Amino acid sequence: MLGNIRRTTMNAPMRDGCALATDVWRGEVDAARPVILVRTPYGRRQSLWPAHIDLDLSLARGYTVVSQDVRGRGDSQGRWDPFVHEQDDGFDTVQWIAQQSWCNGRVVMTGMSYQGQTQWAAAAARPPALAAIAPVMSSRTWGEGALFTNGVREVGMMGTWIAANLAAPEQRWMNDLPRSFTDREGLASIAPYSAEWFRQDAASDYWAGDRAVLIDPAVPCMIIGGWYDILLRGTLRSWDMSTNPADRLIIGPWGHVACPSHLIGDRDLGYAGSVSALGLHDRMVDFFDDVLEGVTPRGPRALVYELEARRWLAHEGWPPPSELRECDLEPTTFSVGLDLPRFSGGRGLLIDMPLFGHGPTDEAATAERDDVAVLRVQATVSVSASFAGPVRATLHVDPSERRRQWVGVLCAARPDGRLDALADAVANQDARAEWVTLDLGDLAIRVEPDVDLVLLVSGGWFPRWEPLIVPGQRVIREGSRLTLSMLSSEE
């Protein structure tokens, strides 16, 4: 008993007889209410406290809240095998909840990261009682767009996720997380399933099936992401696959942390971008209310935070109407050695490590290295301009007889010398190819005339991405360009 909140622990039976530990949170009044369900591998009680889930508010607004340990985690029975059982177990859990006396037969789901994947999986199974989902910083696919970027393995995120979160508590490497960057045998010893994660390429069938939800969920989705989230590409790919006019998209100035904040890296991105100022949970519950009442969800189709302007922009879709702006990149040369640079920000993720590997951190010191090329974007803006949508760098390079890796980090160069990371990309160049495309993902930013855009280019970024080290000189030729999406005036 916590105040006027009652918690009851129950065991939800799955179709194979496995029982999953489930907490039911209710107020003082016994009544059949709609249920907000969170399914998690991170502890069913701990997972209710991130800033986007407000237990008190959910109960006050007429919901019962249910949190559940997924199979093989916490107090639930069964073997823990990430992704594999979430579709069947999600279906069974939703339908079991709908049959309980404290539920009115309608269930919605929310939660962040892996908890988002449990929503996509359950929705793909189409349980009749599921009415809506609200995945936060998650992805329908956990190969490309999550554990891989442009086919390159996210070794920093994968290693620290396993060593700090997924292994059993007594086996975690909390005092030696950098070990996870290279010790794959050690990771397999504490998380046997991870051996396949490092063997299978992004395009393999392994990352389809249970690890990708390609079926239309058939229920309205509120898709929530962050500009500094490692899963942003997966979030926006999930949005691109959307077919329901009731779906909604929110992108804030957030990184991949349990309590998203406008304070990220070493910067304050504006209180307007905070979860509390936005009222994210209220918006989520508004969305659930509208879906359950059978009315069009309130608010714009897409609500995104414009970096630098410190404001939210409403759009009828994403990306919004825009004009492509081609900006030349200066030709240059640089050398690649065995000691790869380590950028500190952008859209990476190093779990439970300082700064978490993401955010608008200052990359000026890294830009001083001999193995990092600094490409000034020529004639960015002469007056204030808003860019919203995809950003892409196309590099005209010297061909090589071997495959090589290219990394790009787009930065805002400020009058005081700071180089604040905005977005990043990686690509493995085919042998003898003369062009490399760096897909920097989407961005919404206001650029002032005293701020230049700069592209930092290197031959790798370790420990973030799996390296493909080819030492030697690199040449970036005339004809290289950065393509930006300039917001149309009618927007």
Side-chain angles (χ1 to χ4, degrees):
M1 184 81 173
L2 179 61
N4 61 349
I5 299 175
R6 295 176 296 162
R7 186 190 74 224
T8 305
T9 300
M10 306 178 69
N11 287 317
M14 301 296 102
R15 65 190 64 185
D16 62 354
C18 187
L20 304 189
T22 305
D23 283 348
V24 182
W25 303 80
R26 290 177 286 171
E28 291 181 327
V29 178
D30 283 318
R33 295 180 168 186
V35 166
I36 298 176
L37 168 64
V38 177
R39 303 191 63 248
T40 179
Y42 304 125
R44 65 187 188 278
R45 293 174 189 162
Q46 297 92 316
S47 295
L48 284 183
W49 305 117
H52 55 273
I53 301 173
D54 188 319
L55 180 60
D56 292 299
L57 181 60
S58 299
L59 297 178
R61 292 191 55 172
Y63 289 83
T64 291
V65 176
V66 172
S67 55
Q68 181 184 78
D69 291 327
V70 299
R71 181 181 295 248
R73 299 290 280 183
D75 298 320
S76 288
Q77 297 175 353
R79 182 171 66 91
W80 166 234
D81 195 348
F83 312 115
V84 173
H85 301 286
E86 307 308 353
Q87 188 163 314
D88 287 347
D89 288 354
F91 180 98
D92 293 350
T93 297
V94 169
Q95 292 305 108
W96 173 80
I97 289 172
Q99 297 168 4
Q100 305 307 305
S101 60
W102 34 262
C103 179
N104 69 354
R106 308 297 301 279
V107 179
V108 297
M109 297 181 70
T110 189
M112 175 188 164
S113 193
Y114 190 94
Q115 300 161 22
Q117 196 277 340
T118 68
Q119 297 170 62
W120 289 115
R126 301 194 174 187
L130 186 63
I133 62 174
V136 180
M137 286 185 264
S138 190
S139 175
R140 291 172 66 158
T141 59
W142 278 76
E144 184 63 40
L147 301 181
F148 295 83
T149 296
N150 197 22
V152 181
R153 189 173 278 105
E154 293 271 0
V155 292
M157 180 266 212
M158 290 173 67
T160 55
W161 188 32
I162 295 164
N165 286 172
L166 299 186
E170 66 277 8
Q171 295 181 308
R172 294 174 185 170
W173 301 346
M174 302 309 297
N175 292 318
D176 191 16
L177 288 177
R179 173 185 172 191
S180 69
F181 302 153
T182 55
D183 188 359
R184 297 185 180 179
E185 289 187 5
L187 290 173
S189 71
I190 61 175
Y193 48 79
S194 70
E196 281 303 298
W197 293 9
F198 289 102
R199 276 196 291 264
Q200 300 290 343
D201 293 335
S204 75
D205 291 341
Y206 177 83
W207 294 108
D210 297 317
R211 300 166 186 86
V213 178
L214 305 179
I215 301 171
D216 191 328
V219 296
C221 310
M222 173 174 273
I223 301 171
I224 301 168
W227 288 127
Y228 288 100
D229 178 28
I230 194 170
L231 299 184
L232 178 63
R233 285 180 171 85
T235 296
L236 291 178
R237 175 178 294 184
S238 302
W239 172 256
D240 290 341
M241 297 168 69
S242 165
T243 60
N244 194 324
D247 289 351
R248 295 292 183 265
L249 175 70
I250 297 176
I251 305 293
W254 310 314
H256 200 92
V257 292
C259 295
S261 173
H262 62 295
L263 305 175
I264 180 171
D266 58 355
R267 289 285 311 282
D268 178 347
L269 300 185
Y271 180 71
S274 67
V275 168
S276 55
L278 176 64
L280 182 59
H281 186 76
D282 275 311
R283 290 176 181 270
M284 187 186 302
V285 178
D286 288 345
F287 175 75
F288 291 152
D289 285 350
D290 292 342
V291 171
L292 293 173
E293 291 171 14
V295 300
T296 300
R298 68 198 83 174
R301 283 269 289 160
L303 184 67
V304 302
Y305 192 73
E306 187 178 30
L307 299 172
E308 301 298 310
R310 299 188 171 204
R311 63 179 180 176
W312 292 91
L313 296 179
H315 299 293
E316 290 307 309
W318 186 269
S322 61
E323 302 169 5
L324 294 183
R325 179 173 183 140
E326 300 277 357
C327 302
D328 292 334
L329 296 172
E330 301 169 343
T332 191
T333 62
F334 67 102
S335 297
V336 175
L338 298 178
D339 179 25
L340 294 175
R342 175 174 178 171
F343 300 95
S344 57
R347 293 169 176 166
L349 179 61
L350 300 175
I351 294 172
D352 283 346
M353 296 193 67
L355 297 179
F356 287 90
H358 61 234
T361 52
D362 185 4
E363 303 294 345
T366 306
E368 294 294 326
R369 292 174 54 122
D370 293 337
D371 55 358
V372 176
V374 181
L375 306 184
R376 296 277 171 178
V377 179
Q378 298 177 12
T380 306
V381 295
S382 56
V383 296
S384 299
S386 291
F387 297 95
V391 184
R392 181 178 65 255
T394 306
L395 304 183
H396 185 199
V397 304
D398 59 318
S400 170
E401 293 302 313
R402 300 172 61 185
R403 296 185 77 219
R404 298 183 299 184
Q405 187 169 103
W406 295 78
V407 164
V409 180
L410 184 66
C411 298
R414 306 192 180 281
D416 64 0
R418 281 185 63 101
L419 287 176
D420 288 342
L422 298 173
D424 45 50
V426 62
N428 285 342
Q429 171 197 8
D430 291 334
R432 294 180 293 281
E434 295 187 25
W435 294 91
V436 175
T437 298
L438 293 173
D439 175 8
L440 292 153
D442 287 34
L443 190 63
I445 187 171
R446 184 80 170 173
V447 178
E448 301 295 338
D450 65 344
V451 173
D452 293 327
L453 294 182
V454 171
L455 184 68
L456 305 183
V457 178
S458 70
W461 174 353
F462 189 78
R464 177 166 178 186
W465 282 308
E466 189 165 46
L468 180 62
I469 301 177
V470 180
Q473 188 178 65
R474 303 280 181 98
V475 178
I476 299 175
R477 298 172 167 174
E478 292 276 359
S480 300
R481 62 193 182 274
L482 183 74
T483 304
L484 298 159
S485 303
M486 180 174 284
L487 197 61
S488 300
S489 57
E490 61 268 22
E491 286 286 312

